Amino acid sequence: MLDWLLKYPLTDYARGKLTFLGGWPWAALVAALPVGVALIVAFAWRRRHAVSRGRLAAICALQSAMLALALLALSQPSLLLSSLASGENTLAVLLDDSGSMSFQDGDSTRLAQARAVLNSPALAQLARRYRLRDYVFAGDVRAVQDYRVLPAPGDRTAIGASVLQVLRELHDSALGAVLVISDGDDSAGTIPDAMLDQIAAYGVPVHTVGIGRERMPEDLELQDVVLPERALPGTTIAARVSIRHDGPGQTRVKVYDGDRFLASRDVTLPNDDGETSVPISFTLDQAGQRELTFTVDPKPNERELRNNTRVRMIDVAERRASVLYVEGEPRWEYKFMRRALDQDTGVRLVSLLRTSVNGYYRQGIDSPAELAGGFPTDRQTLYAYDALIIGSMPAAWFTSPQLQMIHDFVSERGGSLLMIAGPNGLGDGGWGDTVVGQMLPARLPNTALREDDATADPTADSSADSSADSTVYNTDNPADSFHRVRASVVLTARGRLDPMLQFSDDPVQNERLWATLPPIADYQDLGAPRLAATTLLDMRVGGHEQPLLVTEPYGRGRTLILATGGTWRWRMGLPSTDERHQEFWRQLLRGMVADVPQPFALTARARSGAIDIRADLRDATFMPIADAQVSASLSSPQESASFPLHPVPDQPGIYQATYQPLHSGSFVIQASAQRVGYPMGSASTSLQFQQGQAEYFSLRQNRSLLEHLAAATGGRYWRPDQLSGLSQAIRASSAGVVEQRLQPLWDAPLLFLLLAALKSAEWLLRRRWGVI
């Protein structure tokens, strides 16, 4: 109706240029309007005694409006439009021929629905006006002569790359537009912004036709599984599983190590469409490259079951991680932590207990020479450890180079640092004002020393009773942050998801086990957590809660604060068969060392059709080695290969290569390095490579991708049942060979209807007021 009133579609008005074809000079028409209005007012003024001024003003306004419309019609307004010239332009049609288009979506396959679009009146109309160039695409694009004969479905989809290839191929021809018929299931999940910019730079509009349903209530999809790349044997691993669903339902997640069942969890899916993410925990005891299979139970009427399974590889390392624990006094926390780690085959706890000015009591050492001089004074010695724990020790007991070395241990080496509360630790130990305090997850209060203690001997012997040292460290001062007051422990929302804090695979049971722990023996006040900090445990003191266990990434590593030295009360207050205290410390230290980088780190990532392999090679002080020769070997049950890894420019110590597998499967990759003939070590990793599996995931039409592509190029997204305006939209393209045409507006029905309405309104008012 609106198009009839305006004579032309609104899109013509939006893209057309207004022009006037009347022979009257424009200045004369503009001047005629005020002259005409003045004459209307003068004639009306003569009857001012018979009609009120308000009624005269209304009649004058209506007559003036009619005069304006009449002058507008005399100027002969027209739209100047540019459109593609018929018979002189090319239209590229790209048909998605990937595996996802073979999916049975409703009563027919998506490819059959796409063929219906190709045989529609809209496409026939385009064929009459333009030269059609037909293509099919999946991982790459190919020209075809007849859509009735198509190649085998592709095992991946690259929408953006295919469009860009066609634009490059036809850039010398009169290409007016590109039409993409697809379900939007790109293997990469999106079109990179840089590629979109290249496509848009050609100035050719890309129109997209979306095939397939956007909602599939009968389908569940295991969208993603996130878990660590490596772990120590016996470590509790918390994986996060993401399930795509439309509408509510029930399912169960299961985890297998090969054929061995590991864990399961029932999941209630909410009413909302989208993604539901749940954690699931399990333990891997056997070392080696483990192939884990994650599955979700299907719905009763689910058709596509291949997207209900994901396979992930994890490296369960045989190495034993080393943790250095430095303590300033022989306290209960030190004793019971050592007991908890004594039987752990995955973590070696080396402790330094300060006993005098230059004396330390060493435990857990591998040789008499290890740490014989106390805390390390060189980077190579300190960097041999994966994590560092500092207990109730003031910062003044470390030299400035040692403090800087601790900082670099985290930021450069990538180690983990745990600070434990104590009368001479954290804020009371002066750590907040050091380079180490700057990287901690909380801003420590400055409660270290009294001014009259500044010259006191900070190396006096420690004892089990830390208050005996109060002549140096003001532990009895009410302003101190350390309190010998019991507090209960509260598991935070983030802590419920952290693998370090899992006493049970059942989330409800895990929370109950934390809630029933005895109170801790003491606590220490912390300042405000930093912006990137995560609080995993809180403590409840005097009716309010404050942070207990806080962590934060820093540089290549991370830092943690445990604001108590009293977890030993868990061991003392629980039955001898209850090992929650031991489990807490084992899992905490295993979590601290799980992702700590090694001098030779090897990673592999699978992408469309290839595996990217990357090595990070460093020396004992974790300085990059840029002049090594690195080689890799790759093997699976179906194939094997060997090849060099090449240095990456401007990234010292980084070496990489790309391999294109011939088959899908589990791949083990091993790399070795040498420098001037001297071996520099070896590393290994593994991954699952599935060629073509991406086509069975993300089955729902990715409308947002198709809309984004069309909007970025000046095109439009279309549904198959709404193609009536497609020809007109493509005709409006400014690419290719264009022709200009004038569309007169003076005879638009709306203009005459407005004139009639104004005149009728004037006549009715005159009749009613008796002034005809």
Side-chain angles (χ1 to χ4, degrees):
M1 181 64 178
L2 185 59
D3 289 352
W4 177 80
L5 289 173
L6 297 175
K7 192 180 178 181
Y8 306 109
L10 283 174
T11 54
D12 286 358
Y13 286 87
R15 66 186 185 90
K17 180 181 179 182
L18 184 64
T19 186
F20 298 91
L21 303 179
W24 298 87
W26 180 245
L29 289 174
V30 172
L33 181 60
V35 172
V37 171
L39 291 174
I40 291 171
V41 172
F43 280 111
W45 184 252
R46 294 188 306 168
R47 307 196 63 181
R48 64 184 182 280
H49 300 295
V51 184
S52 66
R53 293 186 179 182
R55 294 177 177 180
L56 284 177
I59 293 173
C60 288
L62 291 171
Q63 291 178 342
S64 298
M66 286 187 288
L67 175 62
L69 287 176
L71 290 174
L72 179 62
L74 286 174
S75 66
Q76 297 185 33
S78 302
L79 282 177
L80 180 61
L81 294 171
S82 297
S83 59
L84 292 178
S86 180
E88 299 185 31
N89 288 280
T90 298
L91 173 64
V93 180
L94 280 69
L95 173 64
D96 188 344
D97 187 35
S98 61
S100 63
M101 294 292 286
S102 301
F103 178 70
Q104 186 77 20
D105 199 348
D107 296 332
S108 62
T109 65
R110 291 180 176 174
L111 190 57
Q113 298 172 28
R115 289 181 188 273
V117 171
L118 293 171
N119 295 325
S120 66
L123 268 291
Q125 185 177 2
L126 292 174
R128 290 191 295 268
R129 292 189 57 87
Y130 311 109
R131 298 185 298 270
L132 300 188
R133 293 287 297 274
D134 297 333
Y135 296 88
V136 294
F137 73 94
D140 54 11
V141 63
R142 290 156 290 176
V144 294
Q145 298 298 323
D146 190 342
Y147 279 126
R148 291 174 296 182
V149 181
L150 296 178
D155 55 11
R156 61 189 181 95
T157 310
I159 297 176
S162 298
V163 172
L164 190 57
Q165 182 178 338
V166 168
L167 289 173
R168 288 169 176 166
E169 180 181 324
L170 301 179
H171 77 281
D172 288 333
S173 65
L175 181 62
V178 175
L179 180 64
V180 177
I181 306 173
S182 171
D183 58 6
D185 183 15
D186 193 286
S187 297
T190 185
I191 301 176
D193 290 341
M195 183 174 289
L196 272 178
D197 292 341
Q198 293 182 60
I199 294 172
Y202 280 88
V204 177
V206 178
H207 293 265
T208 58
V209 180
I211 303 296
R213 290 176 294 161
E214 298 174 48
R215 292 187 75 255
M216 300 179 66
E218 78 282 2
D219 182 74
L220 293 180
E221 176 186 318
L222 185 50
Q223 190 165 12
D224 195 14
V225 176
V226 179
L227 76 163
E229 292 183 0
R230 58 187 60 87
L232 297 175
T235 302
T236 297
I237 297 170
R240 179 153 289 275
V241 176
S242 299
I243 304 170
R244 176 71 184 273
H245 60 94
D246 295 324
Q250 295 283 336
T251 189
R252 175 175 294 177
V253 179
K254 300 175 184 176
V255 188
Y256 298 87
D257 178 7
D259 296 330
R260 185 168 69 95
F261 173 78
L262 293 179
S264 67
R265 176 175 180 176
D266 292 329
V267 180
T268 299
L269 304 173
N271 292 329
D272 299 336
D273 295 352
E275 178 182 318
T276 296
S277 182
V278 295
I280 184 168
S281 300
F282 49 89
T283 302
L284 293 173
D285 297 318
Q286 299 180 9
Q289 306 290 345
R290 314 307 305 172
E291 182 179 297
L292 304 182
T293 302
F294 295 78
T295 67
V296 293
D297 289 350
K299 287 190 172 183
N301 57 342
E302 189 166 349
R303 292 181 177 178
E304 181 55 72
L305 302 182
R306 285 171 290 190
N307 62 2
N308 290 41
T309 301
R310 292 276 190 179
V311 178
R312 292 289 186 268
M313 302 292 293
I314 184 171
D315 180 12
V316 182
E318 297 185 29
R319 74 180 187 92
R320 193 179 188 195
S322 296
V323 178
L324 175 58
Y325 175 21
V326 188
E327 183 56 79
E329 56 184 86
R331 51 181 180 158
W332 292 107
E333 192 79 333
Y334 171 86
K335 173 182 178 179
F336 283 102
M337 188 199 303
R338 283 218 54 88
R339 284 188 181 179
L341 273 297
D342 277 346
Q343 304 303 317
D344 194 327
T345 58
V347 176
R348 179 176 72 106
L349 182 63
V350 182
S351 57
L352 276 177
L353 176 61
R354 184 162 180 143
T355 57
S356 64
V357 175
N358 296 312
Y360 284 94
Y361 177 57
R362 297 175 293 158
Q363 288 182 274
I365 57 176
D366 278 343
S367 69
E370 184 175 5
L371 302 177
F375 189 83
T377 56
D378 64 278
R379 293 173 184 266
Q380 182 170 343
T381 302
L382 180 60
Y383 287 9
Y385 297 94
D386 298 281
L388 174 64
I389 303 174
I390 299 177
S392 182
M393 291 190 70
W397 282 1
F398 296 87
T399 66
S400 294
Q402 285 177 321
L403 292 174
Q404 183 63 49
M405 197 164 57
I406 294 172
H407 174 277
D408 297 343
F409 173 81
V410 177
S411 64
E412 295 179 4
R413 186 256 185 269
S416 296
L417 170 66
L418 171 64
M419 302 288 291
I420 302 178
N424 298 323
L426 297 178
D428 292 349
W431 288 96
D433 295 331
T434 68
V435 67
V436 175
Q438 297 172 6
M439 64 179 180
L440 295 179
R443 295 175 174 85
L444 300 179
N446 186 10
T447 56
L449 294 170
R450 299 192 306 263
E451 290 183 5
D452 56 355
D453 290 334
T455 59
D457 181 10
T459 60
D461 290 348
S462 301
S463 65
D465 182 4
S466 61
S467 62
D469 199 25
S470 59
T471 56
V472 179
Y473 299 99
N474 191 20
T475 59
D476 294 331
N477 190 333
D480 286 351
S481 62
F482 184 77
H483 309 282
R484 297 188 186 278
V485 177
R486 296 182 181 182
S488 58
V489 178
V490 179
L491 190 64
T492 67
R494 296 294 295 271
R496 295 186 190 101
L497 305 177
D498 198 288
M500 297 188 299
L501 305 179
Q502 303 300 313
F503 288 145
S504 170
D505 294 341
D506 181 359
V508 176
Q509 175 71 356
N510 184 59
E511 194 157 357
R512 187 192 68 79
L513 290 171
W514 275 101
T516 55
L517 282 171
I520 52 179
D522 51 54
Y523 71 91
Q524 195 154 3
D525 296 324
L526 303 179
R530 300 188 188 274
L531 291 178
T534 299
T535 301
L536 302 177
L537 291 175
D538 280 333
M539 53 187 164
R540 187 175 290 112
V541 184
H544 70 278
E545 295 181 359
Q546 61 187 67
L548 174 62
L549 179 60
V550 193
T551 182
E552 179 185 47
Y554 188 85
R556 301 183 74 215
R558 68 164 165 169
T559 59
L560 304 92
I561 294 178
L562 180 63
T564 182
T567 65
W568 59 267
R569 285 202 75 255
W570 297 346
R571 176 71 277 182
M572 297 292 287
L574 293 171
S576 59
T577 56
D578 192 323
E579 296 191 348
R580 274 180 280 176
H581 175 264
Q582 297 96 310
E583 195 170 350
F584 166 75
W585 279 107
R586 289 170 188 163
Q587 292 185 168
L588 180 61
L589 265 62
R590 283 170 172 265
M592 288 170 56
V593 302
D595 295 324
V596 171
Q598 300 304 304
F600 193 169
L602 186 67
T603 58
R605 295 288 183 271
R607 58 181 175 86
S608 298
I611 297 175
D612 294 325
I613 304 164
R614 182 182 178 95
D616 187 348
L617 186 61
R618 296 170 183 261
D619 61 17
T621 63
F622 277 75
M623 295 300 293
I625 300 177
D627 56 348
Q629 293 79 46
V630 183
S631 60
S633 62
L634 177 147
S635 62
S636 75
Q638 293 81 22
E639 60 184 292
S640 61
S642 298
F643 43 86
L645 271 63
H646 303 287
V648 178
D650 302 324
Q651 296 186 46
I654 303 299
Y655 302 79
Q656 68 180 19
T658 298
Y659 178 77
Q660 295 182 329
L662 302 176
H663 306 90
S664 299
S666 300
F667 286 83
V668 175
I669 304 165
Q670 297 178 322
S672 60
Q674 60 179 3
R675 190 181 192 185
V676 196
Y678 180 78
M680 299 298 296
S682 62
S684 64
T685 189
S686 60
L687 85 164
Q688 181 74 15
F689 179 81
Q690 292 293 339
Q691 184 76 13
Q693 290 296 309
E695 291 300 310
Y696 306 119
F697 292 84
S698 302
L699 284 178
R700 294 152 184 82
Q701 181 196 146
N702 192 347
R703 177 170 177 168
S704 61
L705 182 145
L706 298 175
E707 288 180 330
H708 192 41
L709 173 61
T713 58
R716 178 181 162 185
Y717 168 86
W718 303 85
R719 287 171 43 185
D721 58 347
Q722 295 179 339
L723 296 177
S724 59
L726 177 62
S727 177
Q728 185 69 22
I730 290 179
R731 187 181 180 187
S733 170
S734 58
V737 179
V738 298
E739 59 183 5
Q740 291 187 330
R741 69 180 189 276
L742 287 170
Q743 297 185 166
L745 300 176
W746 65 269
D747 56 349
L750 181 60
L751 185 63
F752 291 99
L753 288 175
L754 285 174
L755 283 170
L758 291 171
K759 190 60 183 177
S760 298
E762 181 194 2
W763 182 82
L764 289 174
L765 290 177
R766 285 177 174 272
R767 182 178 178 85
R768 182 174 180 180
W769 295 334
V771 293
I772 295 178

